[in-house]
Amino acid sequence: MKESRSFLAVSVAIVIGGTLMGSILRGDARSAVVAAGLVVLVTQLPLHFLLKRWRERNDRFMAAIVVGFFVRIAVLAAAVVVLVVPGRVAGAPFLLSLGGFMVGILIVEAVLESRRLRNRSTSAVEAQAS
């Protein structure tokens, strides 16, 4: 549960920080950064929680990684089709922001997952020693 709250807090902080940095941009570029942040929060946070149980199971860990990868690619493609192609947002700032936010959140997810696995293995070793 603690990892979930940490993931949520750090992910939101990444998007808010990136959006604040993007506030120095003008007009269309600024709204593109905000749109990218919203797309990432609306899609990646639920994806994390939906795949959480799969990542915790050894027999589904790789499936969770593969599904997460393909959903991220689908989100990127859908965002381009829905927002960039019709000209609703400026393309370059949107894609750069979206990619940056996705990579940042993905790194946070990997770090927290690594920490969880390390803690679990340490607990297992301590239990065997007892």
Side-chain angles (χ1 to χ4, degrees):
M1 186 68 165
K2 182 179 177 186
E3 290 91 13
S4 296
R5 280 185 262 142
S6 297
F7 173 77
L8 185 63
V10 174
S11 297
V12 170
I14 287 171
V15 171
I16 289 173
T19 304
L20 287 175
M21 287 182 0
S23 69
I24 64 170
L25 302 172
R26 295 191 182 174
D28 291 343
R30 182 183 308 146
S31 61
V33 172
V34 171
L38 290 174
V39 167
V40 166
L41 289 178
V42 168
T43 58
Q44 301 310 299
L45 296 181
L47 178 66
H48 169 78
F49 292 109
L50 287 172
L51 294 176
K52 186 175 184 339
R53 295 210 192 268
W54 277 18
R55 281 192 313 275
E56 291 173 353
R57 292 180 48 181
N58 290 337
D59 61 333
R60 295 213 177 146
F61 182 78
M62 283 308 296
I65 300 297
V66 171
V67 168
F69 172 78
F70 283 113
V71 169
R72 284 178 177 91
I73 296 300
V75 165
L76 181 63
V80 167
V81 169
V82 171
L83 297 173
V84 176
V85 171
R88 291 184 176 119
V89 295
F94 177 78
L95 292 174
L96 289 171
S97 301
L98 185 68
F101 292 147
M102 280 186 167
V103 168
I105 289 174
L106 187 60
I107 289 170
V108 168
E109 189 173 39
V111 167
L112 291 175
E113 185 66 20
S114 172
R115 184 182 299 161
R116 184 187 66 80
L117 291 173
R118 196 174 359 184
N119 290 341
R120 188 172 77 175
S121 66
T122 303
S123 299
V125 169
E126 289 173 355
Q128 281 182 342
S130 298

